[in-house]
Amino acid sequence: MRGRDDLNATPLDVHPADTASTSEIQRLTIGRLISAVESAISGEANGSITWKAASSFINSLRKYPQSATFTDNHLGSWVATMLQQDYSRTTIERYLTKISALYTQIAGASAPSEAFATVRTQLKSLPAAKYAIAPETLGRIQQLARDHSQSSSLPAIPLRALIYLLYNPASQPIDLINLRFDTLPILPQQAEEIIDDLRDPKRKYVFPLNQGKKRDGQIARELDSAMSMILSRAGIAHTSSPVDTIRSLWAAIALQTAVLPDEIAAIIPATPSSAPYLSMVRPAPLADYEKEEIIFRVADAINPVRSRWHVMKLRTAIRPNHVKDRIATLLPDIAKHIIYYYPTHLQVRTVGKKKLTEEVPYLPDHLFFKLRDDRMTRLFSHIGDLAWCYRVSNHPDSPYSVIPQYEMGAFQQFLGILSSDIEVELVNPKTLTVGTEVSVQGGIFAGHRGTIRDIIQPSSPTASRTYILTISENTALKCTIKITDTLVKAI
């Protein structure tokens, strides 16, 4: 839930019931309005139309900060939610009538607020159709997202493009056509895995769609046709375009994930023709990082199977390289996606008159690794004689223990040794030169400020630049960063 008001919304001003002075007009907060509505219906029988309308209205309001001022956008959000949940127009009209009367009573006004009339007008302008998406349809798209790499009957590149658009509802086909490995945006992990499957050092475009050989318009039309075919074969009814359908599906999943209608409207560039209920609200004033958090949360709802951090205990006399070599030999598909973390430091010890420097692990015999949940069982069926993985409990059927990303990031930051999954590349190096003061906007170093002290240029076109930053806390930080302009900016 957002912790901000809609700055563009129209507050519904309220005259206290015991005064008619316009100088004493008050703005009603959501918390106060909920209390007032609850008090007003205290004598209503459960199940009456007034009780049902008030219950629905209050449940919608509880999703917003209680200190926020109630506006017409909250009213539109409530109606939009009912439309998506397949309430009939008659029921919604009756609910609006009841809540309008309650609001007029609470406000002590002589006439209903214009906001209710405005919302009714908006409602009447929408096409008379059902906007609810059947659970089985949502199930099909979610299954397609989870199994896209396993399907051999559907065209691989258009299928991955379709799922990429599902994880990134603000994207369009032209974005896919121009998407390059060296200019990737901030993405959900599920979308990053799609890109990892497509990595090729000989290619600069993520999706090989004959860029340079065909015009963008032709590529877009062919991609559109292929995605339409995939939706049809998956049993998913689609409207004017696959992108329109994908955005409608994303919006429905987002609402189930407690994303608010005005937040959805802020993320999707245009109202989908199959989800016109979103036109009932104005887009919420979300910052880029807030949009990213929502997109990441919905991606987890679409496909909860993603890479997470675990730790294995190496058996006696086994070293990390033994495990890595076994996986590379027997499980090359897993080796392609697994990330290892075995932090070490240099230690000097004296042997006789000599001083020896050796590399010592911080946590001996503990190898951290990041891997998708659905690959864990297969992994340890091949390396069980070399190591075992910690579980939630001692029971053999207990799930494997997971280390939250923020805890792993904090641990790595404390040690000053990063794993490859948080390496990032600055997308606009021309504006980030030696001496530039920068602030990190996201990730585990969010909030830090520093100065670029040196830049090590890439040894090849596919290699990353290395930026050496001096952090303001007098700490020298050397890291290869892959970060977009939304996460780092010049001060």
Side-chain angles (χ1 to χ4, degrees), residues 99-382:
I99 297 303
S100 177
L102 283 174
Y103 190 88
T104 303
Q105 173 188 334
I106 293 166
S110 58
S113 167
E114 290 183 8
F116 288 89
T118 301
V119 167
R120 281 197 176 92
T121 300
Q122 288 178 294
L123 179 62
K124 290 177 181 177
S125 69
L126 297 182
K130 289 189 175 183
Y131 303 132
I133 296 177
E136 54 268 27
T137 299
L138 296 180
R140 289 190 192 105
I141 194 66
Q142 289 172 302
Q143 191 63 41
L144 204 59
R146 292 166 190 160
D147 298 339
H148 66 83
S149 61
Q150 308 298 322
S151 176
S152 58
S153 61
L154 298 172
I157 299 303
L159 175 56
R160 284 170 169 79
L162 185 149
I163 301 305
Y164 178 92
L165 290 174
L166 181 64
Y167 290 135
N168 300 273
S171 297
Q172 303 183 65
I174 191 63
D175 300 320
L176 294 181
I177 295 169
N178 296 322
L179 188 65
R180 295 164 45 146
F181 290 111
D182 61 349
T183 57
L184 293 174
I186 300 298
L187 296 169
Q189 192 176 94
Q190 294 87 341
E192 287 181 348
E193 291 182 359
I194 292 175
I195 290 171
D196 286 342
D197 285 338
L198 295 168
R199 284 194 183 278
D200 186 336
K202 299 177 183 179
R203 248 188 11 247
K204 67 178 180 179
Y205 291 105
V206 174
F207 294 93
L209 298 167
N210 290 319
Q211 293 93 334
K213 298 179 181 178
K214 298 180 180 180
R215 294 181 181 275
D216 287 354
Q218 181 182 352
I219 295 174
R221 287 190 296 273
E222 291 175 354
L223 183 60
D224 194 84
S225 177
M227 291 192 296
S228 292
M229 180 272 291
I230 290 170
L231 290 171
S232 295
R233 287 176 61 177
I236 298 171
H238 52 283
T239 52
S240 57
S241 74
V243 173
D244 187 271
T245 300
I246 291 165
R247 287 175 176 170
S248 297
L249 293 168
W250 187 88
I253 296 170
L255 283 172
Q256 292 181 354
T257 317
V259 182
L260 302 169
D262 55 340
E263 293 174 329
I264 294 172
I267 291 171
I268 296 178
T271 300
S273 63
S274 50
Y277 59 87
L278 292 174
S279 66
M280 297 293 299
V281 294
R282 290 179 301 279
L286 300 181
D288 285 346
Y289 78 90
E290 291 175 304
K291 294 178 183 178
E292 289 163 7
E293 287 176 355
I294 291 171
I295 288 171
F296 279 44
R297 177 153 43 102
V298 177
D300 284 343
I302 294 168
N303 181 11
V305 179
R306 57 185 176 87
S307 294
R308 297 192 287 180
W309 279 106
H310 308 271
V311 59
M312 66 176 78
K313 179 71 165 63
L314 304 180
R315 299 190 187 277
T316 304
I318 298 299
R319 313 286 359 121
N321 283 343
H322 297 153
V323 174
K324 295 178 183 179
D325 291 345
R326 173 80 65 84
I327 295 172
T329 302
L330 300 182
L331 302 167
D333 58 322
I334 288 181
K336 181 180 178 181
H337 296 285
I338 194 169
I339 295 172
Y340 301 103
Y341 183 66
Y342 192 68
T344 61
H345 63 284
L346 296 179
Q347 189 176 82
V348 179
R349 62 188 181 93
T350 303
V351 179
K353 294 183 179 181
K354 294 183 178 181
K355 287 187 176 180
L356 301 178
T357 301
E358 58 184 355
E359 197 172 23
V360 179
Y362 279 101
L363 293 171
D365 303 327
H366 286 78
L367 178 59
F368 296 89
F369 65 102
K370 191 175 187 180
L371 187 66
R372 271 179 45 167
D373 301 344
D374 58 343
R375 293 170 174 159
M376 293 286 288
T377 300
R378 182 163 164 251
L379 172 67
F380 282 95
S381 69
H382 286 78

